[in-house]
């Protein structure tokens, strides 16, 4: 190889490491540099949070004092029927079996309803519980005992009627992949209280990953260090967290020091902030080797706690994950996201029927989610831990008639983005409130509709953020969790002063 070839090879390797930002900056016209200067100015929101690439999890001040220091979000993947759980509609019971009015069908999109379906009354008895008089069906006997500690939103709305896009809407405010999840926004905005654990942890149950996969806990255009870390409730809590055979901790430390020095040299030469993010991720992984196994070891809990949650150590279960969520927030994790698969109740088979698998799912989550509220409250954690429960949309008051048939062995409901229920507790939420009211059959909001941007703005408010000011420059916009729409904080639910 002659000298000219060596020079060309050297130039090629330098160009391979060139970032788009560096290329634009060096454009001969200077327009690229002018654009990037504007982008830097618009990213004042990031710098005002004290966010540093070299210390991405350092704690930052919020816009105003926050009541919620951490979040546990319980998402029932598949969208449970609010009409069988929290939204009691006696008029719907009287209409059971009657043909659906055409006005309910005109201009609507459905996943499987065809022709004219029949109305479907509530499949289970309801009773009022607690001093708040909250209506809860008999499918949730344990949860009915803690209703005075939670508040309900009965009129959540989304504009997506398919599962994947609707799940993305719930967690990122957009129906498309590539936007940060709420957990990423929270950890980017607040940092974490424990440098030895991830700021954002994801726990799965139900035997299957959500349809859109890791995009539900991705960091989108935020630095990748803020994406969720998936942990497991059985086996190694994080895949590959243990050193391989023959690799001691001291040897691992030496290897990381060498990699860190190389990455630091690369950053000094090219200035790509993602290089510092990579360094921070390697260091976090090293610390996690000691901290994560201890945090995820629920066998250390006393027998009365296992009885309270109904846990079975070393198994994948929603009960185990609820106990893990408490252990994680107790140790300073900022955001814990639980996904429980199996709530899609179309009635196409026993496993997804209201008179089949739906009842099994209720039994699986009832005791542990009630235990989580009780346990957090006993430990003094509920007052500054926000707990949220929801699906991705609601269910229709009509029976699903897939194929046009109203005579089916299994009973189910189709998707309804127009109205669904959630409950929320702790972290600055006034307990014992039912906000919003649907029409006589639970199809659409009658009072106080809550579009998702209002829901997200309220969560950010409780975390101490003005939703308009928590933004990040991307694609020419100061991107927000709530999108470009104006949003409204649901102040009737919070005990925080107006900001």
């Amino acid at each position: 190889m002659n000298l000219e070839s060596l020079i060309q090879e050297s130039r090629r390797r330098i160009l391979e490491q060139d970032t788009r930002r560096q290329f634009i900056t060096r454009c001969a016209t200077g327009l690229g540099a002018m654009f990037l200067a504007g982008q830097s100015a618009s990213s004042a929101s990031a710098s005002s949070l004290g966010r540093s690439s070299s210390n991405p999890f350092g704690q930052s001040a919020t816009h105003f004092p926050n009541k919620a220091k951490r979040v546990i979000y319980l998402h029932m993947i598949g969208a449970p029927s609010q009409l069988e759980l929290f939204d009691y509609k006696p008029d719907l019971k009287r209409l059971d079996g009657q043909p659906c009015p055409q006005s309910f069908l005109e201009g609507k999109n459905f996943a499987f309803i065809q022709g004219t379906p029949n109305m479907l009354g509530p499949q289970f008895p309801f009773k009022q519980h607690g001093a708040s008089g909250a209506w809860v069906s008999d499918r949730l006997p344990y949860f009915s005992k803690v209703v005075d500690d939670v508040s309900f939103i009965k009129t959540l709305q989304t504009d997506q009627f398919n599962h994947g896009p609707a799940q993305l809407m719930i967690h990122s405010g957009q129906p498309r992949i590539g936007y940060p999840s709420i957990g990423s926004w929270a950890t980017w905005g607040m940092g974490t209280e424990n440098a030895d654990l991830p700021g954002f942890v994801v726990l799965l149950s139900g035997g299957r990953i959500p349809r859109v996969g890791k995009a539900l806990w991705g960091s989108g255009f935020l630095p990748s260090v803020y994406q969720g870390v998936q942990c497991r409730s059985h086996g190694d809590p994080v895949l590959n967290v243990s050193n391989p055979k023959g690799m001691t901790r001291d040897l691992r430390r030496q290897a990381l020091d060498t990699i860190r020095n190389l990455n630091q040299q690369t950053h000094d030469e090219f200035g790509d902030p993602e290089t510092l993010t990579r360094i921070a991720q390697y260091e976090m992984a090293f610390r996690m080797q000691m901290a994560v196994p201890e945090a995820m070891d629920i066998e250390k809990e006393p027998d009365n706690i296992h009885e309270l949650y109904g846990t079975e150590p070393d198994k994948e279960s929603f009960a185990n994950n609820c106990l893990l969520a408490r252990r994680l927030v107790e140790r300073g994790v900022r955001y814990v996201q639980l996904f429980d698969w199996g709530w899609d109740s179309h009635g196409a088979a026993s496993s997804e029927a209201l008179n089949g698998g739906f009842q099994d799912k209720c039994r699986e989550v009832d005791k542990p989610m009630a235990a989580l509220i009780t346990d957090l409250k006993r430990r003094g954690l509920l007052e500054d831990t926000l707990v949220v429960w929801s699906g991705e949309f609601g269910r229709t008051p009509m029976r699903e008639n897939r194929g046009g048939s109203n005579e089916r062995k299994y009973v189910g409901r189709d998707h309804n983005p127009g109205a669904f229920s959630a409950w929320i507790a702790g972290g600055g939420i006034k307990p014992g409130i039912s906000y919003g009211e649907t029409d006589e059959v639970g199809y659409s909001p009658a009072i106080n509709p809550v579009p998702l941007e209002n829901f997200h703005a309220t969560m950010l408010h409780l975390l101490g953020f003005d939703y308009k000011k928590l933004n990040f420059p991307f694609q020419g916009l100061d991107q927000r969790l709530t999108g470009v729409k104006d949003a409204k904080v649901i102040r009737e639910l919070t005990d925080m002063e107006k900001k």
Side-chain angles (χ1 to χ4, degrees), residues 104 123 133 244-245 269 288 312 325 369 371 443 462 467:
F104 284 14
Q123 297 299 291
K245 187 176 181 180
E269 184 174 358
M288 282 170 54
E312 298 179 86
M369 70 184 187
Y443 195 29
L462 293 165
Y467 77 91

Side-chain angles (χ1 to χ4, degrees), residues 70-74 203 296 298 309 319-331 333 336-338 372 376 381 385:
R70 59 200 75 86
V71 178
I72 299 172
Y73 199 119
L74 315 174
L203 301 169
M296 301 288 288
I298 64 173
Y309 283 86
N320 286 7
N321 288 349
C322 281
L323 178 52
L324 285 170
R326 190 224 77 203
R327 288 177 62 86
L328 290 168
V329 298
E330 199 171 36
R331 286 160 173 77
V333 173
V336 183
Q337 176 67 59
L338 275 64
L372 179 61
L376 290 171
L381 289 168
T385 301

Side-chain angles (χ1 to χ4, degrees), residues 344-349 352-354 400 408-413:
D344 199 11
S345 303
H346 287 285
E352 57 173 54
L354 294 174
E400 182 174 313
R408 302 172 65 89
K409 178 180 179 181
Y410 299 114
V411 179
R413 301 183 186 273

Side-chain angles (χ1 to χ4, degrees), residues 440-459:
E440 293 85 351
V441 295
Y443 195 29
S444 302
I447 301 172
N448 294 327
V450 180
L452 283 180
E453 59 264 24
N454 291 5
F455 181 62
H456 291 151
T458 303
M459 287 185 66

Side-chain angles (χ1 to χ4, degrees), residues 347-366:
S350 176
S351 61
E352 57 173 54
L354 294 174
N355 55 343
F358 177 84
Q359 300 181 62
D360 296 332
K361 295 305 297 182
C362 288
R363 281 189 290 269
E364 289 173 12
V365 306
D366 178 32

Side-chain angles (χ1 to χ4, degrees), residues 124-138:
F124 309 106
F126 276 73
K127 284 179 58 177
Q128 288 181 286
H129 296 273
S132 61
W135 287 98
V136 181
S137 84
D138 69 352

